Amino acid sequence: MIEILILSLVQGITEFLPVSSSSHLIIISKITNFNNQNLTIDVSLHVGSFLAVVTYFYKDIYNFIENKKLFEKILIASLPVLIAGYVMIETGVIEKIRNIKVIGWTTFIFGILLYVSDKFKLEKSIKQLNLKSSLIIGIFQILSLIPGVSRSGISITAARFLNYKRYDAAKISFL
C-alpha cells in the first residue's frame, strides 16, 4: 500500500511537468525495489492524473459543447497514440522498452528537442488549431509511448515547432 502511495505522489508531481511521469515511476520502483510497479499500475495512476486535468480544465471542456470544432481536433490528435498504444500492448513491444537505458536516452534526446522547439517563433494561438496541426501533434504523441518521452513534453514540442505560443502549446497538450 505504501508503494502505491509513493508512486501516486510521483505521478501527481511529474504529470504536470514536461517530463515522463512513466519513466519516473519505473526509476523510483527500481531504486526502491518496489514489486508492484507495472503497466497496469501506471495506467491506474494516469487515470488519477486524467481526473485532475478534467477538474482543472472543466471550463475548457465544457466549452467543447460550444466549440465542437476544437473538440474534433483534440479528438483527432488523440487517435494516433490510442491506435499505436493498442498495437504496442498487443504485440508486447511496450514491455520490452520499459527499461532504464531507454529512459535515459529518450529523456536526453527529447529534452534537447523540447529546448530547440522553444526557440521557434511564437505567433499561433489555440484558436488557430487546424486539422493538419492536430494530426501532426497526434503523430508526435505516439513517441510518448516510449518511457522517457513525456506526452505533454512531446505535444508541446510539436506545437512549438508549429509556431504555437508556449501557453497555447501547453493548453493543447493538456486538452
Side-chain angles (χ1 to χ4, degrees):
M1 183 63 141
I2 191 76
E3 292 178 11
I4 300 299
L5 179 63
I6 291 170
L7 292 174
S8 296
L9 288 171
V10 170
Q11 172 66 25
I13 292 167
T14 59
E15 183 61 28
F16 299 99
L17 302 172
V19 298
S20 173
S21 58
S22 295
S23 67
H24 283 80
L25 295 174
I26 293 169
I27 291 168
I28 292 293
S29 295
K30 295 276 186 206
I31 291 171
T32 57
N33 293 318
F34 286 169
N35 297 321
N36 290 329
Q37 203 287 320
N38 57 42
L39 187 58
T40 304
I41 297 292
D42 283 7
V43 170
S44 299
L45 295 171
H46 280 82
V47 168
S49 296
F50 171 74
L51 293 173
V53 168
V54 167
T55 302
Y56 184 79
F57 285 109
Y58 77 92
K59 288 180 183 175
D60 294 292
I61 293 168
Y62 180 75
N63 286 337
F64 280 157
I65 295 168
E66 296 172 11
N67 191 349
K68 291 179 184 166
K69 296 264 189 225
L70 179 60
F71 175 73
E72 290 170 359
K73 291 169 190 165
I74 297 295
L75 184 63
I76 287 168
S78 302
L79 291 177
V81 73
L82 290 171
I83 294 165
Y86 176 78
V87 170
M88 289 177 75
I89 288 171
E90 288 299 311
T91 60
V93 170
I94 198 79
E95 290 300 331
K96 293 177 183 164
I97 60 174
R98 291 173 55 87
N99 63 64
I100 300 295
K101 188 174 184 180
V102 169
I103 291 169
W105 280 107
T106 55
T107 300
F108 177 72
I109 292 166
F110 288 98
I112 291 171
L113 195 60
L114 178 60
Y115 174 79
V116 169
S117 74
D118 203 39
K119 301 301 178 191
F120 277 56
K121 291 188 300 183
L122 313 170
E123 52 188 51
K124 292 183 183 175
S125 75
I126 194 169
K127 293 177 183 176
Q128 295 170 294
L129 184 66
N130 58 32
L131 184 61
K132 180 182 175 186
S133 294
S134 296
L135 283 172
I136 291 170
I137 293 167
I139 290 168
F140 266 71
Q141 282 190 69
I142 291 171
L143 296 169
S144 70
L145 296 170
I146 304 168
V149 181
S150 165
R151 190 210 43 82
S152 64
I154 199 67
S155 299
I156 291 167
T157 299
R160 299 287 286 157
F161 276 133
L162 294 169
N163 297 322
Y164 285 89
K165 297 175 189 170
R166 185 180 293 156
Y167 175 81
D168 291 306
K171 194 167 187 176
I172 290 167
S173 168
F174 283 112
L175 290 175

